[in-house]
Amino acid sequence: LHRLMLSKWPPLRLSATRALRNFTAYQAGAAEAAATQTIIGAVEKLLKMVEDDRLITEVSAIIANLTLYRDNHPNIVTPRVCRGLAAVLQKAPDRARAYACNAARFVAQGKGSTHHGALVECGVIGCL
């Protein structure tokens, strides 16, 4: 799936990203995706494509789905993901920004989370 997400053909890339979004909508799928480094790497790379409105909205939704469950935070809340969320909050359309806000909120709500600092350091909180 991560190879399809990084395809050079935009329709295939978008379809694969939507498939991952649907997969991560369930806790078991989110846990499996969060544990797979190749998926996290693909999400990090796709976060750089802020100019593609539909794609960045799907990627932001994936991150929101993954951060909904606290057990996933150690794998998801990486500096690259936090910097990508900051970029989404600054440049992306409203729907993508809404998902990015939800992701930041889910991380911030994690009790005793050690990941709050990552949100601050990478500028996510400042963008909110």
Side-chain angles (χ1 to χ4, degrees), residues 94-118:
D94 289 344
R95 284 185 63 207
R97 285 200 317 258
Y99 287 122
C101 286
N102 281 339
R105 180 173 58 103
F106 296 148
V107 173
Q109 284 176 342
K111 293 182 179 148
S113 175
T114 59
H115 301 96
H116 301 148

Side-chain angles (χ1 to χ4, degrees), residues 11-69:
L12 183 58
R13 185 172 50 225
L14 183 61
S15 293
T17 304
R18 283 187 176 144
L20 181 62
R21 177 187 178 181
N22 292 334
F23 185 68
T24 59
Y26 302 96
Q27 187 170 3
E32 189 172 330
T36 308
Q37 288 301 316
T38 54
I39 294 293
I40 303 307
V43 167
E44 290 173 345
K45 288 178 183 173
L46 290 175
L47 274 169
K48 296 177 183 177
M49 300 183 182
V50 179
E51 67 280 350
D52 187 335
D53 292 352
R54 291 181 300 170
L55 182 66
I56 203 63
T57 298
E58 296 294 333
V59 173
S60 298
I62 289 168
I63 295 170
N65 287 346
L66 293 173
T67 56
L68 180 60
Y69 307 104

Side-chain angles (χ1 to χ4, degrees), residues 67-107:
T67 56
L68 180 60
Y69 307 104
R70 279 185 228 140
D71 294 344
N72 296 341
H73 290 183
N75 295 336
I76 300 304
V77 187
T78 66
R80 283 184 180 171
V81 168
C82 289
R83 283 192 298 275
L85 286 175
V88 168
L89 288 168
Q90 291 172 355
K91 302 175 187 175
D94 289 344
R95 284 185 63 207
R97 285 200 317 258
Y99 287 122
C101 286
N102 281 339
R105 180 173 58 103
F106 296 148
V107 173

